[in-house]
Amino acid sequence: MIELQEVYKKYPNGVTAISGIDVRINQGEFVYVVGPSGAGKSTFIKMMYREEVPSTGTITINGVNLAKLKMKKVPLFRRNLGVVFQDFKLLPSLTVYENVAFALEVIEAQPKFIKKRVMEVLDLVGLKHKIKMLPTELSGGEQQRVSIARSIVNSPKIVIADEPTGNLDPETSWEIMRIFEEINNRGTTVVMATHNREIVNTIRHRVIAIEGGKIVRDEQRGEYGYEN
Ligand code: ADP
Ligand code: ADP
């Protein structure tokens, strides 16, 4: 469960990116975060994976208050959260397999378990046959699949995605969405910032619209609601 209470975020340069957000997202929900450029979507998303800290207010994720989380506890917290980025952020010198296995190796999981689990998630994203390739040898869609596999390898309860289809062509974007649907169908909460109106209007889910750092709309099975 994710809960934000009276959350404000003012950056050191004086810009208030989030100004008073209260919201609750239950386990298993799929939520789109939409809004114009500069609305505060990324800041909202970044606070959920503790990349940014709120200036005031509380953010509670799976019982952990992120505003109070000590720096050294951040890696532990992030293990229970998958994050997917627009630009994939794969490690360029590691193979597909190694990129996905990495998260399990740092927690010193059993080698046998690592192998089984990595192959399981690579199968889910349809990349079992490319485990030895490097990210540069893959298409954008394939790189995003690897990044999704990496995000779920630890079996997190929540996956956060910041414009995961932003760099992909329409057809590839639909394929990536199918994977997020599958992840959500297995009970994982998905919170996704997106500009993809087609997708939001077709695969209906809760829509939280942010403008000027505030939630201006929050609808179950909502629409994208912007022209671009
Ligand atoms: P969105 O993702 O909706 O485009 P952002 O959260 O990126 O919105 O930005 C919201 C506001 O905060 C914008 O005015 C942006 O310029 C500002 N902002 C974002 N990140 C920073 C930062 N690191 N330092 C200062 N201002 C920032
Ligand atoms: P399953 O028994 O369905 O393989 P796990 O027990 O391995 O699920 O993992 C539990 C949680 O981990 C799921 O709710 C989901 O968050 C995530 N997860 C695990 N495996 C997958 C998968 N193959 N696809 C999507 N999400 C998964």
Side-chain angles (χ1 to χ4, degrees):
M1 210 258 289
I2 301 171
E3 190 165 30
L4 280 76
Q5 289 172 300
E6 279 293 297
V7 170
Y8 288 77
K9 174 64 185 181
K10 188 175 183 177
Y11 283 110
N13 66 354
V15 172
T16 299
I18 293 294
S19 60
I21 283 193
D22 286 275
V23 72
R24 189 185 154 125
I25 296 170
N26 291 315
Q27 185 57 40
E29 280 196 86
F30 193 128
V31 180
Y32 294 118
V33 179
V34 305
S37 204
K41 302 180 298 295
S42 285
T43 303
F44 177 72
I45 293 275
K46 281 178 182 164
M47 287 191 295
M48 281 187 213
Y49 61 91
R50 189 43 169 77
E51 176 71 23
E52 294 290 348
V53 186
S55 308
T56 62
T58 59
I59 300 182
T60 311
I61 297 193
N62 295 335
V64 177
N65 179 358
L66 295 195
K68 291 221 170 113
L69 193 65
K70 298 267 192 323
M71 262 328 260
K72 64 175 190 219
K73 294 251 172 98
V74 170
L76 183 67
F77 161 74
R78 289 221 184 112
R79 266 175 227 164
N80 297 308
L81 194 84
V83 187
V84 176
F85 303 94
Q86 178 171 2
D87 59 356
F88 326 131
K89 297 198 195 299
L90 298 172
L91 296 168
S93 62
L94 300 187
T95 64
V96 166
Y97 181 93
E98 291 163 347
N99 262 283
V100 178
F102 192 75
L104 292 175
E105 280 160 0
V106 298
I107 62 168
E108 294 174 10
Q110 297 273 332
K112 245 185 164 167
F113 172 79
I114 294 178
K115 188 151 188 244
K116 177 175 162 285
R117 180 64 184 155
V118 171
M119 292 313 285
E120 196 175 280
V121 292
L122 282 174
D123 190 28
L124 176 96
V125 301
L127 278 183
K128 233 175 160 176
H129 57 301
K130 299 209 170 171
I131 58 171
K132 291 191 175 148
M133 293 200 171
L134 292 170
T136 49
E137 298 174 299
L138 303 175
S139 69
E142 288 170 335
Q143 289 183 60
Q144 193 58 298
R145 286 163 189 264
V146 177
S147 129
I148 294 170
R150 175 185 61 185
S151 80
I152 60 169
V153 75
N154 266 326
S155 303
K157 288 198 159 57
I158 301 170
V159 171
I160 309 271
D162 197 353
E163 302 235 19
T165 62
N167 282 349
L168 306 175
D169 61 63
E171 198 185 321
T172 307
S173 299
W174 287 107
E175 288 165 9
I176 291 300
M177 286 306 297
R178 231 173 282 137
I179 299 171
F180 279 110
E181 286 292 296
E182 173 68 22
I183 290 169
N184 179 243
N185 285 338
R186 294 183 187 215
T188 310
T189 306
V190 176
V191 181
M192 179 184 295
T194 183
H195 276 122
N196 197 316
R197 124 205 289 274
E198 281 274 304
I199 283 173
V200 173
N201 288 346
T202 306
I203 309 176
R204 291 298 182 98
H205 290 296
R206 180 176 175 185
V207 173
I208 293 178
I210 298 183
E211 280 176 44
K214 290 185 165 66
I215 293 179
V216 293
R217 182 158 59 90
D218 183 351
E219 294 169 346
Q220 299 299 325
R221 303 181 63 76
E223 288 191 14
Y224 184 72
Y226 297 94
E227 290 307 314
N228 56 11

